[in-house]
Amino acid sequence: MTEIRSNRIQYIENLFLNHDVTISKTQAEKFYDFYSLLIEKNKSVNLTAITEFEEVVIKHFLDSVSLVRNISMENVKLMLDLGTGGGFPGTPIKMLYPHIDITYVDSVDKKLKFISECCEKLDLGEAKICHARAEDLARDAEYREKYDLCTSRAVADLSVLSEYCIPFLHENGIFAAYKSGDSEDEINGAKPAIKELGGKIIDVDEFEWEGMHRKIVLINKVKKTPAKYPRKAGVPKKNPLGK
Ligand code: SAH
């Protein structure tokens, strides 16, 4: 093992442990390998704008798993990551919690292929990837009202995102939206939409990790989503609910 590799693996392990995220040496090694795969693939497919090692580890890996602050991952079985792109937050969560069955959804196919490759190379089992738009997939009975947890980072405004994500949850499921620190107005503005879709905000966890100022909005599905949602592809974004 080269010195750079072992230093970097140690960095990942320490960083996660400093934030009370449990990680083994083997998992830290996998995160390092994941970083290498990401940087290699990023030469041909636009997966990430940031490539510097520590920045990727903080802004993609640590950020993705920050959800453990709020959710007992041990109890999650079926999860859907909407607009996963290069696999965030889905893949880092899978690396720490391999028992979770994750469906990765994105409307861009090239990015999804990278997730499949990663899962294979990092020994995470076969990835369930879905090349689809949320609005279409959430109308498919195989996916609708099935999931314990739906995650989404950097995809859309919260009212739009709620229409994409809440339909996938079964009653009592949780939608976790990764939002920036200054998303107060966006969150307040999304409340009517969330209610209409059968959800209820149960917590907004605000924190700063390594200079990243985040809000994770936790929405509980308290009743079924009316059958008319999500509306046709493109409509939620063009005409957000409750606006
Ligand atoms: N979650 C990743 C990627 C964010 S970029 C990260 O945090 O790094 C936003 C992604 O959402 C893009 O890959 C885009 O293709 C996808 N996306 C946007 N609208 C979508 C929709 N309606 N259905 C499915 N994917 C969508």
Side-chain angles (χ1 to χ4, degrees), residues 19-228:
H19 293 86
D20 293 326
V21 180
T22 311
I23 185 170
S24 67
K25 184 62 129 195
T26 314
Q27 284 167 327
E29 284 167 5
K30 277 196 189 188
F31 271 103
Y32 177 74
D33 293 339
F34 181 36
Y35 168 74
S36 308
L37 291 171
L38 180 69
I39 296 310
E40 185 53 37
K41 192 71 173 187
N42 204 44
K43 291 177 185 159
S44 55
V45 181
N46 183 17
L47 297 166
T48 172
I50 52 173
T51 53
E52 192 272 319
F53 173 72
E54 290 185 8
E55 214 180 345
V56 169
V57 173
I58 291 169
K59 294 189 180 163
H60 285 324
F61 302 169
L62 183 69
D63 186 38
S64 292
V65 301
S66 63
L67 190 57
V68 306
R69 290 168 55 91
N70 307 291
I71 293 192
S72 313
M73 292 305 201
E74 292 73 23
N75 300 331
V76 177
K77 290 193 181 71
L78 273 185
M79 168 181 148
L80 185 143
D81 188 23
L82 194 275
T84 186
F88 302 108
T91 310
I93 290 177
K94 179 75 182 172
M95 288 168 72
L96 290 188
Y97 305 97
H99 73 279
I100 303 181
D101 185 343
I102 303 185
T103 301
Y104 300 85
V105 182
D106 204 287
S107 49
V108 177
D109 203 23
K110 275 191 291 190
K111 299 186 184 178
L112 290 171
K113 293 212 172 83
F114 170 67
I115 300 173
S116 293
E117 276 171 40
C118 279
C119 286
E120 201 190 314
K121 290 187 177 149
L122 300 173
D123 218 9
L124 298 171
E126 201 179 320
K128 276 195 191 162
I129 55 167
C130 249
H131 175 213
R133 290 186 71 142
E135 303 94 307
D136 301 323
L137 197 68
R139 296 195 150 273
D140 183 330
E142 204 183 312
Y143 297 90
R144 190 180 178 89
E145 313 226 297
K146 291 283 184 295
Y147 291 85
D148 305 321
L149 174 66
C150 181
T151 53
S152 196
R153 189 184 81 156
V155 174
D157 176 90
L158 189 58
S159 47
V160 177
L161 203 55
S162 294
E163 189 167 352
Y164 293 166
C165 293
I166 295 175
F168 288 113
L169 301 172
H170 57 62
E171 270 174 83
N172 220 18
I174 299 281
F175 164 37
Y178 290 61
K179 289 289 164 191
S180 65
D182 60 0
S183 51
E184 190 95 10
D185 292 347
E186 180 187 336
I187 297 168
N188 283 328
K191 283 180 181 164
I194 294 168
K195 185 162 189 250
E196 171 74 7
L197 292 155
K200 185 173 187 289
I201 295 180
I202 47 166
D203 195 15
V204 178
D205 181 28
E206 185 172 359
F207 58 97
E208 197 173 326
W209 271 9
E210 304 295 323
M212 284 184 302
H213 192 186
R214 265 247 169 269
K215 278 191 169 79
I216 294 191
V217 186
L218 294 161
I219 295 168
N220 186 209
K221 181 148 171 176
V222 290
K223 58 179 189 216
K224 273 194 154 189
T225 302
K228 60 183 171 187

Side-chain angles (χ1 to χ4, degrees), residues 3 47 173 230 238:
E3 204 182 321
L47 297 166
K238 212 170 139 198

